Amino acid sequence: MFPSLETQLARYRELEQQLYDPAINVDPAKVGAIGKERGALAKSVEPYIEYNRLSAAIADAEAMAADPDLKAMADEELAELRPKRDTLHAQIEERLLVDPDEDYSKMIVEIRAGTGGDEAALFAGNLYEMYTRYARVKGWKIEELAFSPGEAGGFKEISFGVSGDDAYQFLRYESGGHRVQRVPATETQGRIHTSAATVAVMPEPEEAQVNVNEAADIEWERMRAGGAGGQHVNKTESAVRIWYKKGTPEEMEVKCQDGRSQGKNYDQAIRILRSRLFERQQEKLHKERSDMRKSLIGTGDRSARIRTYNFPQNRCSDHRIEFTAYKLDAIMAGDLDQMVQPMRDHVRKEKLANAGQ
């Protein structure tokens, strides 16, 4: 069913044998390269190995079902095995449809409060908590990079890193405008207010992918951090602001004050800058491609509204695929797969349809 995976499986087995070769084991660099290639193949090959195992078990159970004395037992096994195989089949298709140029191991997510004042900042904080809870469920690593706290709580803006298996493939469609409808804590007459926040999911590139000449392309200054953060934040000039001026119609500014040292804040600001520049490069490439991307997920522009969170109705709606779930409480608690997986399924079906044209 998956000819390309047979080739990858053969290579995976070959690399496995090489790791047991004493002549190779004396060369750490070669062992490292083999291990890296094998690890990359494992993402596709190991599910395929399990898929083949399940397929063989299903074939055995179907043969057993031909015996009237064993049919009940076989049917019970088949009821358990077939859904597992179908789920793996969809996962393997999804992995095969991933563009190698868009398979990133880590990313930076930026959330910014939009219209709505204090309530928008609180909502931005809610989104950050939702994503961090979701990351814990998935076993991903979260690294807070920069933030600007809201006056009443939450964040005017927050940037954080996410890394882990397939993290980008799950979060990549979160970019866009997120709208919230609820009664704010400060509302005395029980009226529902609408506020907004924007999310940008940006792959974090390797240094070689985005060249930043720190001596010539940027200017930076140290400053005293503001907002909540304890005595250290208020008494030292550890915060950093950088400006990138090369080839941009407007200056690109990044500010970091989360780290306790100026050096750490500078490094984190450079990481965010690289991701923003890489995002700009990718946007240009996507515009040059076919219109298929727009039919799949829209432009991914921060201003494009993608989702509404209606708290009174416990409802969450994705406007791109016209999907609604009435489990907003669970979604905000970290069960984001309820919204992410329907989007992934939609994209997979669209890609398969386009591949068959």
Side-chain angles (χ1 to χ4, degrees), residues 175-176 279 283 286-287 293-306 320:
S175 290
E279 180 191 34
E283 283 177 355
H286 292 153
K287 286 175 183 176
R293 179 177 172 83
K294 289 185 181 180
S295 71
L296 295 176
I297 58 168
T299 62
D301 191 286
R302 299 187 196 201
S303 62
R305 191 184 73 194
I306 66 165
R320 297 165 296 182

Short mmCIF file of all heavy atoms in Angstrom, two decimals, residues 175-176 279 283 286-287 293-306 320:
data_model
loop_
_atom_site.label_atom_id
_atom_site.label_comp_id
_atom_site.label_asym_id
_atom_site.label_seq_id
_atom_site.Cartn_x
_atom_site.Cartn_y
_atom_site.Cartn_z
N SER A 175 -2.24 29.76 13.42
CA SER A 175 -1.98 31.16 13.07
C SER A 175 -3.24 31.86 12.60
O SER A 175 -3.99 31.33 11.76
CB SER A 175 -0.92 31.24 11.96
OG SER A 175 0.35 30.88 12.45
N GLY A 176 -3.48 33.07 13.13
CA GLY A 176 -4.63 33.85 12.70
C GLY A 176 -5.29 34.55 13.86
O GLY A 176 -4.76 34.61 14.98
N GLU A 279 9.63 33.47 8.71
CA GLU A 279 8.20 33.49 8.40
C GLU A 279 7.95 34.36 7.17
O GLU A 279 7.18 33.99 6.28
CB GLU A 279 7.41 34.02 9.59
CG GLU A 279 5.91 34.08 9.34
CD GLU A 279 5.18 34.85 10.43
OE1 GLU A 279 5.75 35.82 10.96
OE2 GLU A 279 4.02 34.51 10.71
N GLU A 283 6.30 33.09 3.68
CA GLU A 283 5.10 33.72 3.13
C GLU A 283 5.30 34.05 1.65
O GLU A 283 4.41 33.86 0.83
CB GLU A 283 4.77 34.99 3.91
CG GLU A 283 4.11 34.73 5.26
CD GLU A 283 3.87 36.00 6.03
OE1 GLU A 283 4.29 37.08 5.55
OE2 GLU A 283 3.26 35.93 7.11
N HIS A 286 5.13 30.84 -0.33
CA HIS A 286 3.77 30.33 -0.42
C HIS A 286 2.95 31.11 -1.44
O HIS A 286 2.11 30.55 -2.14
CB HIS A 286 3.10 30.38 0.95
CG HIS A 286 3.69 29.44 1.94
ND1 HIS A 286 3.65 29.65 3.30
CD2 HIS A 286 4.35 28.26 1.78
CE1 HIS A 286 4.26 28.66 3.92
NE2 HIS A 286 4.70 27.81 3.02
N LYS A 287 3.19 32.40 -1.54
CA LYS A 287 2.46 33.22 -2.50
C LYS A 287 2.83 32.85 -3.93
O LYS A 287 2.05 33.04 -4.86
CB LYS A 287 2.74 34.70 -2.24
CG LYS A 287 2.04 35.24 -1.00
CD LYS A 287 2.43 36.67 -0.70
CE LYS A 287 1.77 37.16 0.58
NZ LYS A 287 2.20 38.52 0.95
N ARG A 293 -2.81 26.04 -1.38
CA ARG A 293 -2.61 26.35 0.03
C ARG A 293 -3.77 27.20 0.56
O ARG A 293 -4.26 26.96 1.66
CB ARG A 293 -1.28 27.09 0.23
CG ARG A 293 -1.01 27.45 1.68
CD ARG A 293 0.36 28.12 1.82
NE ARG A 293 0.53 28.63 3.16
CZ ARG A 293 0.92 27.93 4.21
NH1 ARG A 293 1.15 26.64 4.08
NH2 ARG A 293 1.04 28.49 5.39
N LYS A 294 -4.20 28.18 -0.21
CA LYS A 294 -5.30 29.02 0.24
C LYS A 294 -6.58 28.20 0.40
O LYS A 294 -7.36 28.44 1.30
CB LYS A 294 -5.53 30.17 -0.74
CG LYS A 294 -4.41 31.22 -0.70
CD LYS A 294 -4.74 32.40 -1.58
CE LYS A 294 -3.62 33.43 -1.54
NZ LYS A 294 -3.90 34.60 -2.39
N SER A 295 -6.80 27.24 -0.50
CA SER A 295 -8.01 26.43 -0.39
C SER A 295 -7.95 25.52 0.82
O SER A 295 -8.98 25.10 1.34
CB SER A 295 -8.21 25.59 -1.66
OG SER A 295 -7.24 24.55 -1.72
N LEU A 296 -6.75 25.21 1.28
CA LEU A 296 -6.60 24.32 2.44
C LEU A 296 -6.78 25.06 3.75
O LEU A 296 -7.54 24.65 4.62
CB LEU A 296 -5.22 23.66 2.42
CG LEU A 296 -4.91 22.70 1.27
CD1 LEU A 296 -3.47 22.23 1.38
CD2 LEU A 296 -5.84 21.52 1.30
N ILE A 297 -6.06 26.16 3.93
CA ILE A 297 -6.00 26.76 5.27
C ILE A 297 -6.11 28.27 5.25
O ILE A 297 -5.90 28.90 6.28
CB ILE A 297 -4.68 26.39 5.97
CG1 ILE A 297 -3.49 26.86 5.14
CG2 ILE A 297 -4.59 24.92 6.24
CD1 ILE A 297 -2.16 26.80 5.86
N GLY A 298 -6.45 28.86 4.12
CA GLY A 298 -6.44 30.32 4.08
C GLY A 298 -5.02 30.83 4.02
O GLY A 298 -4.07 30.08 3.79
N THR A 299 -4.86 32.09 4.25
CA THR A 299 -3.54 32.70 4.11
C THR A 299 -2.67 32.50 5.33
O THR A 299 -1.45 32.64 5.27
CB THR A 299 -3.67 34.21 3.86
OG1 THR A 299 -4.32 34.80 5.00
CG2 THR A 299 -4.50 34.48 2.62
N GLY A 300 -3.27 32.21 6.49
CA GLY A 300 -2.49 32.14 7.72
C GLY A 300 -2.16 33.51 8.26
O GLY A 300 -1.42 33.65 9.22
N ASP A 301 -2.74 34.54 7.67
CA ASP A 301 -2.49 35.91 8.11
C ASP A 301 -3.06 36.13 9.51
O ASP A 301 -4.13 35.65 9.83
CB ASP A 301 -3.16 36.87 7.13
CG ASP A 301 -2.74 38.32 7.36
OD1 ASP A 301 -3.22 38.91 8.35
OD2 ASP A 301 -1.95 38.83 6.56
N ARG A 302 -2.33 36.89 10.31
CA ARG A 302 -2.78 37.12 11.69
C ARG A 302 -4.13 37.82 11.75
O ARG A 302 -4.89 37.66 12.70
CB ARG A 302 -1.75 37.97 12.45
CG ARG A 302 -0.39 37.32 12.56
CD ARG A 302 0.51 38.13 13.45
NE ARG A 302 1.91 37.74 13.27
CZ ARG A 302 2.85 37.97 14.17
NH1 ARG A 302 2.55 38.59 15.27
NH2 ARG A 302 4.10 37.60 13.95
N SER A 303 -4.44 38.62 10.73
CA SER A 303 -5.69 39.38 10.75
C SER A 303 -6.89 38.54 10.33
O SER A 303 -8.04 38.96 10.52
CB SER A 303 -5.57 40.60 9.83
OG SER A 303 -5.37 40.18 8.49
N ALA A 304 -6.66 37.36 9.75
CA ALA A 304 -7.76 36.52 9.30
C ALA A 304 -8.35 35.77 10.50
O ALA A 304 -7.65 35.02 11.18
CB ALA A 304 -7.26 35.52 8.25
N ARG A 305 -9.63 35.98 10.77
CA ARG A 305 -10.26 35.34 11.92
C ARG A 305 -10.44 33.86 11.64
O ARG A 305 -11.06 33.46 10.64
CB ARG A 305 -11.62 35.97 12.20
CG ARG A 305 -12.22 35.54 13.53
CD ARG A 305 -13.61 36.11 13.72
NE ARG A 305 -14.56 35.42 12.85
CZ ARG A 305 -15.79 35.86 12.59
NH1 ARG A 305 -16.19 37.02 13.07
NH2 ARG A 305 -16.60 35.17 11.82
N ILE A 306 -9.91 33.02 12.49
CA ILE A 306 -10.00 31.58 12.27
C ILE A 306 -10.90 30.87 13.28
O ILE A 306 -11.45 29.83 12.99
CB ILE A 306 -8.59 30.92 12.28
CG1 ILE A 306 -7.95 31.00 13.68
CG2 ILE A 306 -7.70 31.51 11.22
CD1 ILE A 306 -6.76 30.06 13.84
N ARG A 320 -12.82 28.28 9.29
CA ARG A 320 -12.23 27.86 8.03
C ARG A 320 -12.88 26.59 7.51
O ARG A 320 -13.02 26.40 6.29
CB ARG A 320 -10.72 27.64 8.20
CG ARG A 320 -9.96 28.90 8.56
CD ARG A 320 -8.57 28.58 9.08
NE ARG A 320 -8.62 27.81 10.33
CZ ARG A 320 -7.56 27.42 11.02
NH1 ARG A 320 -6.35 27.71 10.57
NH2 ARG A 320 -7.70 26.74 12.14
#
